[in-house]
């Protein structure tokens, strides 16, 4: 607030109002996606906004229920309790509380660097697979069915239960009214922004207004769908499933703790891994959104403060019996487009959302579940982007396989297995690459002091001198490969009396690699060869000095490849 300017009040207030209206349909839909009563999504959008506004570092990020974390919650909690039950709601609050405590602890320990743990292909694969599962899972409320499950095998089995009778006969078990409302809502949600884009200006304020209005369009569609569903239920035989009476208990954490007493300790232990992964995914996705806007406004995002901000946001949600929350891209886009200049916009959003809940909460009973499913389908359809996979396949197929392994793991095994599979693939690929460092025999470009790969350039070499560049740090994982490669080069070249190792790309040599280097030097000396080092970095030389290796190589360490060239050329020895 020290940097807040009074002139920003109008912009922050406008953004707060716009985002509050937008949050209503989004929060309701994502709560339903998580298997929770719709009003829980609204409850989870109040205190989290206040908590993040105080502790977060982004001026544009808007937190609340998110599609991906909602699906992860559904997968984690469905085996433990009946979706929508009091115990299920309590478990969701416990999961939010666990995420809050973990995120705050990570923030205090300054573990913001963990935002880089999930590589882009893993995040993209996870996002695409989750979006596919979300869209497929929303077939259930669109057709008037019960939940189908959260993985491809579960979805196939669920569909089979509804289209095949116990005697094996095919049947058409569809709630026609819900399907009609769902398809109609989906069509309006798809057409609205496109019609607006076709008739609105493309510059300045017009473009900003167009973006805001298009984000508020789902609320109008839900109102229209509610009117249509109520009329159909009263005047036609085509029935539409609606949310029903909403009873909000504001006992929050106390009520959640009382309900948790019905859950065995083994069930609570099953929440540990989901808490870790949901916290990590929520943090990484929120950081990605925050960084996008920070680059646009030349701001600095503090990853450790983001951990604290998200931690207190989840704590606020848990206190009112809500669900896990994270930063959302669509909300943040609208927040920024509506003129938000500071986190005060989030506080205005929370206050207005509270007023809307007090005034219109009973009206939620009229909302058709199929229309909420349509909101979810349209919202997550933009997450299915295959461009990242295509680019990764062209650039590096190992990265593409990280995308695919994560995506298939999520779709067929669940989000825990998918994320862990993606991380394992990425770490395994990184270790494999590091264990196979690139090495190149180099020579001097004629008339210059530049040394390049002999296989790529026309270079000149000194007789009896082999110059090799090592393009990675040396440690226990790759030193054996380096030794074998050097031995192969020495065996295939003409008699070599001097071996020069260019270490310009070597940032670190661990103890195992150091001992191997000493043994390799002894072996070459026994064979009548001298090993020289060139372009050794300062931190590496500092470690050499600690074990007197600089004395061992005295006279054999050169500042540059050119210095080594000049010294060995001057010796003019013949072997």
């Amino acid at each position: 607030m020290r940097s807040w300017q009074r002139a920003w009040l109008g912009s922050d207030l406008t953004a707060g109002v716009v985002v509050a209206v937008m949050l209503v349909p989004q929060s309701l839909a994502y709560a339903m996606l998580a298997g929770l009563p719709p009003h829980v999504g609204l409850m989870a959008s109040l205190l989290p906004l206040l908590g993040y506004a105080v502790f977060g570092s982004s001026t544009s990020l808007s937190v609340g229920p998110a599609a991906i974390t909602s699906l992860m919650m559904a997968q984690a909690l469905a085996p433990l309790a009946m979706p929508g039950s009091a115990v299920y709601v309590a478990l969701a609050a416990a999961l939010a509380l666990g995420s809050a405590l973990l995120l705050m602890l990570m923030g205090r320990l300054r573990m913001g660097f963990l935002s880089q743990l999930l590589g882009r292909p893993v995040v993209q694969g996870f996002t695409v697979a989750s979006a596919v599962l979300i869209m497929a899972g929303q077939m259930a409320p669109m057709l008037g069915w019960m939940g189908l499950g959260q993985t491809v095998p579960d979805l196939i089995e669920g569909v089979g239960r509804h289209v095949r009778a116990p005697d094996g006969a095919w049947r058409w078990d569809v709630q026609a009214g819900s399907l009609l409302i769902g398809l109609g809502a989906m069509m309006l949600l798809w057409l609205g922004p496109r019609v607006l884009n076709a008739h609105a200006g493309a510059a300045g304020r017009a473009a900003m207004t167009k973006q805001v209005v298009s984000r508020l369009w789902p609320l109008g569609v839900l109102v229209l769908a509610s009117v249509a569903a109520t009329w159909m239920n009263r005047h036609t035989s085509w029935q539409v499933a609606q949310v029903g009476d909403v009873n909000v208990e504001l006992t929050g954490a106390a009520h959640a703790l009382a309900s948790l007493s019905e859950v065995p300790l083994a069930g609570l232990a099953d929440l540990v891994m989901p808490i870790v992964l949901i916290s990590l995914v929520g943090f990484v996705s929120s950081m990605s959104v925050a960084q996008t806007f920070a680059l646009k406004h030349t701001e600095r995002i503090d990853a450790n403060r983001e951990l604290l901000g998200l931690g207190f946001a989840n704590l606020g949600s848990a206190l009112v019996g809500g669900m896990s929350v994270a930063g959302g891209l669509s909300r943040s886009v609208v927040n920024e487009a509506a003129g938000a200049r500071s986190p005060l916009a989030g506080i205005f959003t929370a206050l207005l959302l509270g007023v809307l809940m007090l005034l219109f909460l009973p009206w939620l009973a009229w909302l058709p579940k199929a229309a909420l499913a349509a909101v979810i389908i349209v919202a997550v359809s933009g997450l299915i982007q295959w461009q990242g996979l295509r680019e990764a396949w062209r650039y590096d197929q190992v990265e593409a396989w990280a995308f695919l392994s994560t995506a298939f793991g999520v779709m067929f095994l669940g989000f825990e297995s998918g994320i862990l599979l993606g991380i394992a693939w990425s770490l395994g690929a990184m270790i494999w690459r590091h264990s196979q460092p690139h090495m190149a025999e180099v020579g001097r470009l004629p008339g210059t002091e530049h040394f390049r790969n002999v296989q790529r350039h026309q270079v000149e070499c000194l007789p009896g001198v082999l110059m090799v560049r090592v393009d990675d740090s040396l440690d226990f994982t790759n030193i054996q490969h380096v030794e074998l490669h050097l031995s192969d080069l020495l065996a295939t070249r003409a008699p070599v009396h001097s071996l020069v190792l260019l270490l310009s790309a070597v940032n670190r040599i661990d103890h195992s690699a150091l001992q191997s280097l000493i043994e390799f030097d002894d072996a070459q000396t026994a064979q009548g060869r001298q090993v020289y080092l060139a372009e050794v970095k300062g931190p590496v030389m500092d470690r050499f000095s600690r074990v007197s290796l600089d004395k061992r190589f005295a006279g054999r360490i050169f500042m540059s490849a050119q210095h080594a060239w000049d010294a060995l050329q001057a010796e003019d020895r013949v072997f």
Side-chain angles (χ1 to χ4, degrees):
M1 295 301 295
R2 286 195 298 269
S3 61
W4 187 78
Q5 301 177 24
R6 203 169 174 183
W8 295 350
L9 179 61
S11 298
D12 285 340
L13 182 59
T14 301
V17 171
V18 171
V19 175
V21 177
M22 175 195 177
L23 265 175
V24 174
Q26 206 175 68
S27 300
L28 296 171
Y30 290 158
M32 190 179 76
L33 173 61
L36 295 163
H39 71 269
V40 172
L42 292 175
M43 300 297 294
S45 301
L46 295 174
L47 292 184
L49 288 165
L50 301 178
Y52 182 82
V54 175
F55 294 96
S57 64
S58 173
T59 59
S60 301
L61 188 67
S62 179
V63 299
I68 303 299
T69 52
S70 296
L71 174 66
M72 295 175 73
M73 288 184 63
Q75 286 193 14
L77 301 182
L80 304 179
M82 178 66 67
S85 65
V87 175
Y88 191 95
V89 174
L91 285 170
L95 201 156
L97 179 60
S99 294
L101 297 177
L102 178 60
L103 288 166
M104 287 189 288
L105 176 62
M106 291 165 60
R108 291 295 297 172
L109 296 177
R110 307 189 65 81
M111 299 175 67
F113 63 89
L114 291 179
S115 63
Q116 305 171 38
L117 179 61
L118 297 180
R120 185 177 293 272
V122 174
V123 174
Q124 290 175 335
F126 177 81
T127 302
V128 169
S130 299
V132 170
L133 289 176
I134 289 171
M135 295 179 68
Q138 294 313 298
M139 288 175 53
M142 291 279 286
L143 299 174
W145 295 350
M146 298 294 291
L148 297 178
Q150 288 82 34
T151 63
V152 170
D154 292 341
L155 290 170
I156 294 174
E157 182 182 352
V159 171
R161 289 196 301 268
H162 288 279
V163 300
R164 295 290 296 271
D167 60 0
W170 293 96
R171 61 179 179 177
W172 183 245
D173 181 17
V174 174
Q175 197 173 62
S178 292
L179 180 60
L180 180 63
I181 290 293
L183 292 177
M186 192 181 303
M187 182 183 67
L188 290 175
L189 289 168
W190 185 83
L191 283 176
R194 285 159 179 78
V195 172
L196 184 64
N197 288 337
H199 293 86
R205 202 69 180 173
M208 188 177 299
T209 302
K210 176 180 66 177
Q211 190 176 48
V212 171
V213 173
S214 66
R215 297 295 183 178
L216 298 181
W217 179 251
L219 182 60
V221 172
L222 283 182
V223 172
L224 183 61
S226 299
V227 173
T230 302
W231 183 86
M232 291 176 66
N233 284 338
R234 292 179 178 178
H235 299 94
T236 71
S237 59
W238 286 16
Q239 295 301 293
V240 181
Q242 293 176 290
V243 170
D245 293 336
V246 176
N247 297 313
V248 180
E249 297 187 22
L250 297 178
T251 49
H255 177 70
L257 290 174
S259 298
L260 284 177
S261 62
E262 303 177 26
V263 181
L265 291 178
L268 293 177
D270 290 337
L271 290 180
V272 174
M273 184 57 72
I275 285 173
V276 173
L277 294 180
I278 289 175
S279 300
L280 181 60
V281 169
F283 172 52
V284 171
S285 61
S286 300
M287 276 294 296
S288 176
V289 175
Q291 289 285 11
T292 300
F293 291 103
L295 292 173
K296 182 177 179 180
H297 299 294
T298 63
E299 298 174 348
R300 179 179 179 275
I301 299 299
D302 186 334
N304 297 309
R305 277 188 60 191
E306 287 301 295
L307 283 169
L308 290 175
L310 291 172
F312 277 97
N314 277 278
L315 178 62
S317 181
L319 290 176
V320 294
M323 56 191 290
S324 294
V325 296
L329 178 59
S330 58
R331 288 190 301 270
S332 301
V333 167
V334 171
N335 191 42
E336 193 260 352
R341 302 297 300 274
S342 76
L344 190 61
I347 296 177
F348 287 141
T349 297
L351 294 177
L352 181 60
L353 193 60
V355 173
L356 291 175
M357 286 184 62
L358 290 174
L359 295 178
F360 302 110
L361 194 62
W363 295 11
L364 300 182
W366 298 347
L367 284 172
K369 294 182 179 180
L372 289 174
V375 170
I376 294 173
I377 291 173
V378 174
V380 303
S381 61
L383 299 178
I384 303 179
Q385 298 180 0
W386 300 103
Q387 182 180 357
L389 176 60
R390 290 195 297 267
E391 292 177 350
W393 192 266
R394 287 195 297 265
Y395 183 75
D396 187 345
Q397 292 188 9
V398 173
E399 297 289 329
W401 279 109
F403 180 109
L404 292 172
S405 62
T406 304
F408 282 109
V410 169
M411 287 194 290
F412 289 92
L413 302 175
F415 76 90
E416 291 184 21
S417 300
I419 292 177
L420 293 178
L421 187 60
I423 293 176
W425 180 279
S426 298
L427 292 178
M430 182 178 66
I431 293 172
W432 180 83
R433 285 170 173 163
H434 185 63
S435 69
Q436 309 285 320
H438 178 262
M439 299 173 64
E441 179 185 354
V442 300
R444 190 176 69 170
L445 293 174
T448 72
E449 295 185 357
H450 300 291
F451 290 76
R452 294 294 184 268
N453 192 331
V454 298
Q455 296 181 356
R456 293 177 178 269
H457 302 273
Q458 294 292 330
V459 297
E460 54 187 13
C461 300
L462 290 175
V465 177
L466 178 64
M467 304 183 74
V468 180
R469 189 185 68 232
V470 182
D471 291 335
D472 206 341
S473 294
L474 302 178
D475 55 37
F476 68 96
T477 65
N478 60 19
I479 189 61
Q480 185 177 10
H481 173 83
V482 171
E483 288 181 339
L484 291 174
H485 191 74
L486 290 174
S487 298
D488 290 342
L489 285 175
L490 291 169
T492 56
R493 297 298 182 267
V496 174
H497 59 73
S498 298
L499 170 64
V500 181
L501 297 180
L502 303 183
L503 305 182
S504 56
V506 176
N507 297 316
R508 183 176 181 274
I509 300 178
D510 75 354
H511 186 260
S512 298
L514 178 65
Q515 294 301 315
S516 295
L517 181 61
I518 293 173
E519 293 171 0
F520 180 79
D521 180 50
D522 290 337
Q524 298 309 309
T525 300
Q527 297 177 38
R529 298 192 188 97
Q530 286 290 317
V531 177
Y532 297 88
L533 307 179
E535 301 183 357
V536 183
K537 291 188 173 181
V540 177
M541 282 299 300
D542 292 340
R543 290 180 177 271
F544 281 2
S545 299
R546 295 176 192 174
V547 293
S548 301
L549 199 66
D550 55 337
K551 297 178 180 178
R552 176 189 179 94
F553 280 90
R556 293 189 287 152
I557 300 179
F558 299 101
M559 289 292 295
S560 68
Q562 182 62 44
H563 288 163
W565 177 281
D566 293 339
L568 294 174
Q569 188 178 45
E571 289 185 8
D572 194 27
R573 292 182 295 180
V574 179
F575 293 84

